[in-house]
Amino acid sequence: MNAKTVKLDGGLYFVATPIGTARDITLRALDIFASADVLAAEDTRSLRRLMDIHGIALGDRPLLSYHDHNGARVRPKLMQYLAEGRSIAYASEAGTPLIADPGYDLSKEVAEQGYLVTSAPGPTAVATALTLAGLPTDKFLFAGFLPNSKAARISAIEALRDVPATLVFYESPKRIGAMLADCAATLGDRRAAMCRELTKKFEEIRRGTLNELCLSVKDAPPKGEIVVVIDRAGQSVVNVSDLEADLRDALGRMSVRDASEMVAGAHGMARRKVYQMALGLDRADEDG
Ligand code: SAM
């Protein structure tokens, strides 16, 4: 067992847990699970499994279920534990609590009541996807899950069109095709990445423009958990060799006009400028 028992102050400890690989857990997280007076989890079975893997016994400590559907009923019980000076470790099913996961109301109430609320940070799919997407990370907006209904989804995407930041979404494999198509239609054919099964055996990153990803998802429907990362509109610094590589690739498959239109859209550049460049490349390739 890697965990050691430590003396915790009374209060609420939000603990991040792995998003796939069980060993992606911090030593401090294990110490908190080993030492808290009370454990609470969105999914008690997942937490028990994680503790088993890491050799942490629950003993006779209470383990409470706390999620969006029972929060109002269970919160008073947790507040009571805090009033008695006990320490509570809370984990959501995977990743960081409150990131598209329960915990917000609890965090707010505990802070308002003046008890200690703290966090043992760790994995989250949003940061992992940003690390791998190959898109700018200077500014990003995490938009969580888009609405299920088409009309609501399109207006949610429209509201993000002019945000000068990389956009990050969580999505299910069932809706990924519709989501990518709506994003392409609403945002334009921006660069994007579909990041799947992060930290797991079948981790996969598909990079391309939104339209390319739509085709790829049609050809090979993805399974598992997915994060979609989308570039901002026309703001990114264009890497000339990436641009040339994309143009050469497109010129191999389509006319100069179509290739420049597609690549200009993907890089957020003026079509005329890319057209001139495509003509140059096309001529150079013919001459060579
Ligand atoms: N709290 C979690 C976090 O910190 O990332 C997110 C929980 S949310 C209910 C679950 C969604 O997160 C999945 O549907 C998927 O979009 C994304 N996600 C979680 N784990 C992932 C993984 N290993 N690979 C890709 N996406 C993941």
Side-chain angles (χ1 to χ4, degrees):
M1 146 161 155
N2 290 315
K4 59 178 188 210
T5 315
V6 292
K7 170 93 191 74
L8 294 180
D9 292 329
L12 174 64
Y13 294 71
F14 283 111
V15 183
T17 56
I19 56 168
T21 295
R23 289 180 69 77
D24 282 341
I25 182 109
T26 68
L27 296 176
R28 181 161 170 251
L30 296 180
D31 292 349
I32 292 171
F33 288 140
S35 313
D37 299 317
V38 175
L39 294 145
E42 179 185 11
D43 181 341
T44 54
R45 273 183 313 177
S46 301
L47 179 57
R48 287 206 76 142
R49 205 176 317 121
L50 186 66
M51 288 170 64
D52 281 349
I53 290 171
H54 294 287
I56 300 171
L58 178 62
D60 54 8
R61 296 177 295 163
L63 170 57
L64 281 75
S65 155
Y66 179 91
H67 46 71
D68 286 339
H69 306 291
N70 72 0
R73 186 160 48 78
V74 177
R75 238 178 355 265
K77 178 82 188 148
L78 294 175
M79 298 309 292
Q80 180 59 37
Y81 282 129
L82 295 178
E84 292 164 5
R86 304 224 222 171
S87 54
I88 304 173
Y90 179 76
S92 60
E93 207 214 320
T96 300
L98 284 82
I99 304 298
D101 259 348
Y104 167 66
D105 291 328
L106 184 60
S107 175
K108 185 164 166 280
E109 186 163 342
V110 173
E112 278 169 6
Q113 299 287 326
Y115 297 114
L116 168 77
V117 51
T118 186
S119 155
T124 180
V126 47
T128 312
L130 278 165
T131 311
L132 302 179
L135 293 168
T137 52
D138 56 329
K139 275 192 258 174
F140 65 88
L141 186 145
F142 173 58
F145 288 96
L146 284 165
N148 291 346
S149 92
K150 190 171 178 69
R153 185 166 59 232
I154 289 175
S155 31
I157 300 168
E158 269 168 358
L160 297 170
R161 189 166 35 207
D162 298 324
V163 172
T166 295
L167 305 174
V168 187
F169 302 91
Y170 285 172
E171 194 46 272
S172 82
K174 227 168 55 188
R175 277 185 290 272
I176 185 72
M179 180 267 190
L180 289 171
D182 289 345
C183 284
T186 312
L187 301 174
D189 195 19
R190 299 185 188 181
R191 289 192 301 161
M194 192 196 68
C195 309
R196 185 174 79 82
E197 293 288 273
L198 295 166
T199 77
K200 303 186 205 177
K201 185 170 175 197
F202 295 107
E203 176 175 290
E204 180 195 22
I205 315 294
R206 297 189 203 174
R207 302 181 185 85
T209 69
L210 283 168
N211 283 328
E212 287 168 346
L213 289 180
C214 283
L215 288 178
S216 152
V217 160
K218 256 188 214 139
D219 281 353
K223 290 193 187 131
E225 298 193 282
I226 298 173
V227 183
V228 175
V229 186
I230 303 179
D231 204 356
R232 72 200 74 183
Q235 294 285 321
S236 37
V237 179
V238 177
N239 176 320
V240 176
S241 46
D242 284 353
L243 184 67
E244 282 193 7
D246 288 352
L247 260 179
R248 276 191 207 285
D249 178 57
L251 284 168
R253 293 181 281 123
M254 54 187 92
S255 69
V256 173
R257 177 187 286 272
D258 290 346
S260 25
E261 187 165 322
M262 189 188 89
V263 174
H267 287 268
M269 290 182 66
R271 203 171 38 182
R272 207 157 37 92
K273 205 165 163 189
V274 179
Y275 184 71
Q276 293 303 329
M277 197 169 171
L279 279 179
L281 283 180
D282 200 41
R283 255 184 241 124
D285 286 350
E286 271 172 17
D287 292 349

